[in-house]
Amino acid sequence: LFKNVLVPFDESEHAQAALHLAIDLVGDDPGATIHVVTVVSNDIMPPSMISASGAFGEAPVDYSTYESFLSAIAERSDHDLHDSIDSLLGQDARTLQAKLVVDTRLAPSPVDGISTYASDHCCDLIIMGRRGLGALRGMLGSVSYGVLRSSDIPVLTVK
Ligand code: ATP
Ligand code: MG
Ligand code: MG
């Protein structure tokens, strides 16, 4: 039934539970793909840009430095993500029939990155944690809330 399942991943135990549920659901379907995706915000300024932005009246902003700063962050995040998925799945990865795609996406916000990833890859289901790394307990996280509000495909939230 579900062929492209998106698991937005932030390392939290809730997101880990979401990944395990995705595997339970479509893991034995060789025609299915599970996309594990972390969104890194590109809406941030490197320290060099903050100082260049006026406070000290210094050099003009070097945009190529900013781009390489962002891609270095995304690369680092992608590396960490692959490592944690490898150790999380362990032996399970070998018996997995579904295709596993692990990716990092730069976007202005997690909700934006999750939505655009889902439409770019024709995802038909999103499975995510009800909460994430944030500290508040018992409530729906802001990323889950934003995805639930805006998604036009089914969203399954996991405790
Ligand atoms: P908040 O961030 O609002 O303080 P929270 O961290 O507890 O609260 P969310 O951030 O909404 O809750 O996390 C809920 C789920 O959203 C996570 O379990 C994960 O599936 C997904 N998620 C959160 N942040 C990201 C991210 N940066 N990239 C991909 N998925 C994410
Ligand atoms: Mg990757
Ligand atoms: Mg969060």
Side-chain angles (χ1 to χ4, degrees):
L1 180 56
F2 297 113
K3 293 299 177 196
N4 279 287
V5 178
L6 174 56
V7 180
F9 197 83
D10 68 349
E11 306 276 346
S12 65
E13 61 186 69
H14 308 271
Q16 293 177 23
L19 176 55
H20 287 301
L21 185 62
I23 290 170
D24 289 347
L25 201 63
V26 301
D28 58 5
D29 179 357
T33 302
I34 299 171
H35 305 255
V36 182
V37 178
T38 293
V39 180
V40 173
S41 178
N42 60 12
D43 202 13
I44 42 176
M45 273 193 183
S48 60
M49 265 186 84
I50 294 168
S51 66
S53 67
F56 306 101
E58 284 165 10
V61 170
D62 180 351
Y63 200 76
S64 66
T65 304
Y66 180 57
E67 290 289 288
S68 60
F69 166 80
L70 286 177
S71 56
I73 288 181
E75 225 168 88
R76 175 62 189 269
S77 159
D78 202 53
H79 184 264
D80 292 350
L81 178 63
H82 278 87
D83 279 357
S84 54
I85 297 302
D86 283 350
S87 61
L88 188 64
L89 297 189
Q91 298 282 78
D92 290 357
R94 252 175 263 172
T95 55
L96 199 63
Q97 298 292 302
K99 187 179 171 205
L100 187 68
V101 171
V102 177
D103 207 359
T104 302
R105 174 170 272 243
L106 280 164
S109 73
V111 174
D112 188 284
I114 291 163
S115 308
T116 53
Y117 188 99
S119 58
D120 289 354
H121 294 84
C122 302
C123 292
D124 43 19
L125 175 66
I126 297 173
I127 307 182
M128 65 195 302
R130 194 174 299 184
R131 291 223 53 100
L133 294 170
L136 289 176
R137 288 189 156 261
M139 293 170 67
L140 190 67
S142 61
V143 177
S144 309
Y145 179 77
V147 170
L148 280 166
R149 271 189 70 150
S150 61
S151 178
D152 48 16
I153 59 172
V155 180
L156 193 50
T157 59
V158 180
K159 252 186 176 167

